[in-house]
Amino acid sequence: MPIDLLLNNGTIVTPDGEFRASVAVDGGKIVAIGSPYSMPPAERVLDLDGLHVLPGFVDAHVHMREPGMTYKEDFLSGTSAAAAGGVTTIFEMPNTLPLVTDEKVLLEKAALLQGKAYVDFCLYGLIVEDNLKELAGMAKAGAIGFKLLLAEVTGGVPRPSNGFIFESFKELAKIGLTVAVHAEDKNVTQYYMEKLKKVTQEPIAHCWARPPIAEEEGIQLLSLFASQAGNKVHLVHTSCGTDLIKAAKATGAKITAETCPQYLVFNEEDMRSKGAVLKINPPVRRREMVQKLVEAVNDGTIDTIGSDHAPHSVEEKTKESIWEASSGCIGVETMVPVMLTLVNRGLLSLSRLVEMGSENPAKIFGIYPKKGAILVGSDADFTIVDMKMEKTIKAEELHSKQKITPFDGFRVKGLPVYTIVRGEIVAERGEIISGPRGRFTKPPLNP
Ligand code: DOR
Ligand code: ZN
Ligand code: ZN
């Protein structure tokens, strides 16, 4: 019996380096890696000469808005954007409506999304004041981890009290799952926002209203709590505070950090030309801080890359006043091309990108080596890329429902050619070629 698929002549990329090999796929799994001559016959053979074979990207940070805000995005459109952009697994955030605060809502969300996903998906539960008793139930129902917000974002999630956060961290230490935290603290941003709102409408004032100290204070608080509670904390969309993260890691606290392409590409000055299209929380930072972030990407202080795909309608993003416009931008389809472009510019190596985009998110959330690896026995998820192909990103060509993006007009070098999920080619050259057969993926209990 021939196996399902053979990937021939490509260059395999792992966090440790690159090598030429063939990969054999059967039943959705990797069954062999080696010389083309040692491979069994296959139903389908892809000749990947000149292309790089990366483990499928695991985007641990997307907001697909279903249920409750499907005018912004829905699971079909959002996951087709993921597949077209070379992402094979997404972790969906819990600030959908109803908020995912207990086992019942999580199970209902999983059932609702089944059959609407082009890529595999995981679901977060949300930590809100007083849902301590619900956390174990959500873990049992298959939550990949939890989300905690120190800022107020889409969905109107109130910031829990510090006492409750510490209690929830102690509970998470027992459960074993990771908590992803939006570290910017509302207590700081609220003060500056109220002050600035009265005196300016300039888009760049959004950055001044959410100064680095808001994020740094949050990182400091979370590091202290995590080091005493002993739980795993993943700081999402890190834009600054990397010295604090480094120091926290050195104490042995289980802290990891994500950044997003938008924080590596844009800076405060871009607010002047892009306006609210680039309004995101945390905001883009000053040029010298962006440089510092790039260093943290390379020295290992930042562990992962995620998109923080956060769609809003054009009306919501183009309000007259910067204070009225919604925060967040789409990014799941542009993350891989933009990061490959940064590799081509020499900002980081392709191996480091694979580590940050695939291996580390899978490890941090306990689904490695099922996801995040090119190893015999792993799921056959691949992002196969052409590092030489160039293109200008055009908003209207993206698969998301709401296409407004700060990356419109951005020239990329490096594009996904095939997105393969459990052995099935889901997208080819940016177009979807399969049905929505993504699976709800749960971490093993007590990872
Ligand atoms: O800009 C943002 N938008 N930051 C967040 O943390 C949430 C997100 C959203 O859900 O719109
Ligand atoms: Zn956030
Ligand atoms: Zn987010």
Side-chain angles (χ1 to χ4, degrees):
M1 276 280 279
I3 57 157
D4 295 336
L5 177 69
L6 196 52
L7 307 177
N8 266 348
N9 295 321
T11 301
I12 315 291
V13 186
T14 74
D16 300 321
E18 303 183 1
F19 57 95
R20 296 259 319 213
S22 291
V23 183
V25 172
D26 200 42
K29 301 271 183 196
I30 298 173
V31 293
I33 301 165
S35 114
Y37 309 106
S38 64
M39 293 292 132
E43 296 269 358
R44 181 154 189 206
V45 179
L46 291 183
D47 181 12
L48 305 175
D49 191 30
L51 303 181
H52 287 86
V53 180
L54 280 43
F57 275 77
V58 177
D59 185 350
H61 191 167
V62 303
H63 304 261
M64 296 307 189
R65 309 302 196 199
E66 185 168 354
M69 289 174 278
T70 49
Y71 69 96
K72 294 177 193 273
E73 188 78 290
D74 61 39
F75 221 57
L76 267 181
S77 57
T79 57
S80 67
V87 171
T88 57
T89 303
I90 54 158
F91 292 8
E92 159 68 0
M93 285 295 173
N95 60 330
T96 39
L97 303 173
L99 298 172
V100 184
T101 54
D102 64 31
E103 182 178 352
K104 184 168 169 284
V105 180
L106 193 128
L107 286 170
E108 281 168 4
K109 185 170 176 180
L112 175 76
L113 302 182
Q114 195 70 50
K116 295 181 178 176
Y118 285 95
V119 297
D120 283 351
F121 65 98
C122 302
L123 297 178
Y124 283 103
L126 184 65
I127 296 177
V128 288
E129 189 86 27
D130 284 336
N131 77 337
L132 196 64
K133 290 201 174 67
E134 311 295 341
L135 304 184
M138 286 192 274
K140 191 163 86 18
I144 189 70
F146 296 93
K147 178 74 179 285
L148 168 70
L149 295 142
L150 301 188
E152 264 176 24
V153 300
T154 307
V157 188
R159 181 204 191 284
S161 66
N162 286 356
F164 181 76
I165 292 171
F166 188 54
E167 284 306 304
S168 72
F169 278 18
K170 287 195 281 183
E171 175 73 5
L172 291 180
K174 284 186 226 149
I175 295 172
L177 293 177
T178 300
V179 60
V181 194
H182 182 130
E184 261 186 315
D185 201 324
K186 190 195 163 194
N187 291 328
V188 178
T189 58
Q190 194 81 16
Y191 171 81
Y192 286 106
M193 200 153 20
E194 294 305 327
K195 241 175 114 164
L196 281 156
K197 257 182 179 176
K198 296 187 191 119
V199 294
T200 176
Q201 299 288 321
E202 275 182 281
I204 198 172
H206 172 67
C207 304
W208 305 334
R210 307 180 81 98
I213 193 71
E215 202 174 337
E216 289 158 353
E217 181 247 356
I219 293 169
Q220 195 78 303
L221 175 86
L222 296 160
S223 304
L224 176 66
F225 283 9
S227 64
Q228 293 205 12
N231 65 319
K232 292 186 277 182
V233 172
H234 186 54
L235 303 162
V236 294
H237 48 45
T238 304
S239 68
C240 63
T242 49
D243 287 340
L244 297 172
I245 298 171
K246 211 179 282 181
K249 284 183 171 189
T251 68
K254 294 174 188 154
I255 298 264
T256 51
E258 168 202 80
T259 194
C260 315
Q262 47 273 32
Y263 297 107
L264 298 169
V265 168
F266 300 116
N267 65 65
E268 250 187 46
E269 291 306 311
D270 293 307
M271 290 300 288
R272 299 192 194 277
S273 57
K274 296 195 181 286
V277 176
L278 189 54
K279 183 183 181 190
I280 54 176
N281 297 336
V284 290
R285 300 298 186 190
R286 288 196 317 273
R287 199 182 294 272
E288 64 274 17
M289 299 181 71
V290 174
Q291 192 45 46
K292 199 136 194 226
L293 194 61
V294 172
E295 284 162 25
V297 158
N298 283 296
D299 73 12
T301 306
I302 300 288
D303 301 274
T304 71
I305 189 93
S307 69
D308 195 8
H309 180 76
H312 297 286
S313 70
V314 175
E315 298 74 57
E316 289 168 324
K317 288 299 289 175
T318 54
K319 292 268 162 62
E320 197 122 311
S321 155
I322 186 69
W323 307 113
E324 297 302 315
S326 297
S327 286
C329 65
I330 58 172
V332 74
E333 192 168 351
T334 50
M335 175 175 76
V336 173
V338 169
M339 291 310 296
L340 295 176
T341 306
L342 299 188
V343 169
N344 269 320
R345 288 186 192 170
L347 250 76
L348 74 166
S349 71
L350 194 51
S351 283
R352 179 70 185 138
L353 176 60
V354 161
E355 189 171 35
M356 293 178 73
S358 189
E359 180 171 302
N360 283 349
K363 280 185 170 167
I364 288 165
F365 289 92
I367 54 169
Y368 182 91
K370 176 180 166 63
K371 302 293 186 190
I374 300 182
L375 292 172
V376 171
S378 294
D379 280 2
D381 297 345
F382 305 96
T383 306
I384 298 174
V385 305
D386 184 339
M387 291 303 291
K388 295 205 178 85
M389 203 191 290
E390 295 191 46
K391 189 180 148 172
T392 300
I393 292 173
K394 293 200 179 76
E396 72 267 18
E397 288 174 4
L398 297 174
H399 290 71
S400 276
K401 200 177 266 190
Q402 300 291 347
K403 301 175 195 299
I404 189 162
T405 168
F407 289 103
D408 187 36
F410 188 84
R411 185 84 183 155
V412 292
K413 184 175 181 185
L415 282 157
V417 179
Y418 297 106
T419 306
I420 301 179
V421 179
R422 282 176 287 99
E424 181 174 20
I425 304 172
V426 181
E428 183 172 352
R429 294 180 195 278
E431 288 314 319
I432 302 299
I433 58 166
S434 83
R437 286 185 279 276
R439 283 190 195 154
F440 178 38
T441 304
K442 304 174 191 180
L445 265 186
N446 300 316

